[in-house]
Amino acid sequence: MKKLLLSVFSLFILNTANAQWISQSTPTITNNLFSVFAISPTAVAATGVTGAIRSLNAGSSWSQNVSLAGVNTFEIHTKHPTKWYILTQNSSWYIKMGFASVTLNSGKPDSILSLHYIDQSCAVAVGTAGKIEATCDTGATWVPRTSGNVNNLNAIWFADKDSGCAVGATGTILRTKDAGLTWTVAPSGTSLNLNGIHFPTSTVGYVVGNGGKVLKSIDAGATWTNVPTGLLNTLNAVYFIDQDTGYVGGTNGLIMKTINGGLNWNTMMTGTTQMINSINFTTPVDGWAVGNG
């Protein structure tokens, strides 16, 4: 499965040579963190085992905003300026978390591993056994979608409002060109589990997975090519600031950076040996990573 995760890290970069990751103190109740998403350089939230945390001061302090015993929340996402959204993996909770409040809604889709909002109202969620659900009323109602796939779908990202891809077990890549209504298989060239995906532009996208696997698309996900990394690490996290500059993260606290579209990679110092599960940037120099422990 996609995720396994660490304490939240604030990243500040003056230039390529001086980049560093700084450990942040999160609430002691927090266990593994699976996803991080920042609305601005100061407003950031993360989600994982038992619920979600947030900071409104760039990580100087954190609050435990949602605590659900025995519940995993694998991804947090939003296109809203002041709210984050979360679907749970092993219950039917749908969480709306704002700057000052949290709303729990029951009876929503479960078995969810990844969630992506296309705009402030419409989102697509994917999960175990090929599950796909869509909403266009900010999660009040969800409509199942079918693709013919029965493999776990670990991550989803949209290149634009219509075109997106979901990735998962045994090299699965599914592509939609109609905002999640219909799906087709995009050959990945691998049978390794694929765990993370990000499109920095409407055409260029990256996928990461087990065995150090990185794939790249330059046609909005229609075709994918292998990007050598020289790694055997499991990679869960990927985020690109632009089509050439980006980060991948995975086992043993690994974060690597490329500035030339994956032709070369530099390993960064993180100060942890925990699994890195998610990376997110709000500006070219303000970023976050979360993981196990």
Side-chain angles (χ1 to χ4, degrees), residues 162-218:
D162 295 314
S163 180
C165 291
V167 302
T170 64
T172 299
I173 299 180
L174 301 180
R175 185 182 184 225
T176 180
K177 296 188 290 182
D178 51 17
L181 182 64
T182 60
W183 297 83
T184 58
V185 174
S188 67
T190 182
S191 60
L192 294 169
N193 288 350
L194 302 176
N195 306 320
I197 183 170
H198 183 242
F199 281 88
T201 76
S202 61
T203 56
V204 177
Y206 294 85
V207 168
V208 297
N210 291 5
K213 179 62 67 178
V214 176
L215 303 175
K216 181 178 181 178
S217 174
I218 58 173

Side-chain angles (χ1 to χ4, degrees), residues 80 85 94 96 117 120-123 135-142:
H80 195 280
Y85 302 100
Y94 178 58
K96 301 179 180 182
Y117 263 82
Q120 288 192 27
S121 300
C122 297
T135 183
C136 260
D137 53 15
T138 321
T141 58
W142 293 85

Side-chain angles (χ1 to χ4, degrees), residues 53-115:
I53 59 175
R54 73 178 168 200
S55 173
L56 301 180
N57 54 16
S60 295
S61 61
W62 293 82
S63 57
Q64 179 86 17
N65 296 100
V66 183
S67 183
L68 299 170
V71 174
N72 291 319
T73 54
F74 278 125
E75 186 139 48
I76 186 168
H77 195 257
T78 189
K79 287 292 180 71
H80 195 280
T82 61
K83 292 180 181 178
W84 296 270
Y85 302 100
I86 309 161
L87 279 168
T88 57
Q89 185 254 340
N90 46 354
S91 75
S92 58
W93 291 111
Y94 178 58
I95 303 166
K96 301 179 180 182
M97 187 170 69
F99 285 1
S101 64
V102 176
T103 302
L104 292 175
N105 298 279
S106 63
K108 306 307 177 186
D110 61 3
S111 304
I112 296 300
L113 303 178
S114 186
L115 170 70

Side-chain angles (χ1 to χ4, degrees), residues 203-270:
T203 56
V204 177
Y206 294 85
V207 168
V208 297
N210 291 5
K213 179 62 67 178
V214 176
L215 303 175
K216 181 178 181 178
S217 174
I218 58 173
D219 53 13
T223 60
W224 296 86
T225 57
N226 186 62
V227 177
T229 62
L231 296 174
L232 295 177
N233 300 56
T234 292
L235 298 176
N236 287 333
V238 56
Y239 195 92
F240 272 68
I241 297 166
D242 56 43
Q243 66 179 18
D244 295 319
T245 303
Y247 304 80
V248 299
T251 51
N252 300 317
L254 174 75
I255 295 181
M256 294 199 309
K257 179 180 181 179
T258 180
I259 58 174
N260 55 16
L263 292 177
N264 304 102
W265 297 90
N266 293 317
T267 300
M268 308 185 74
M269 297 297 296
T270 64

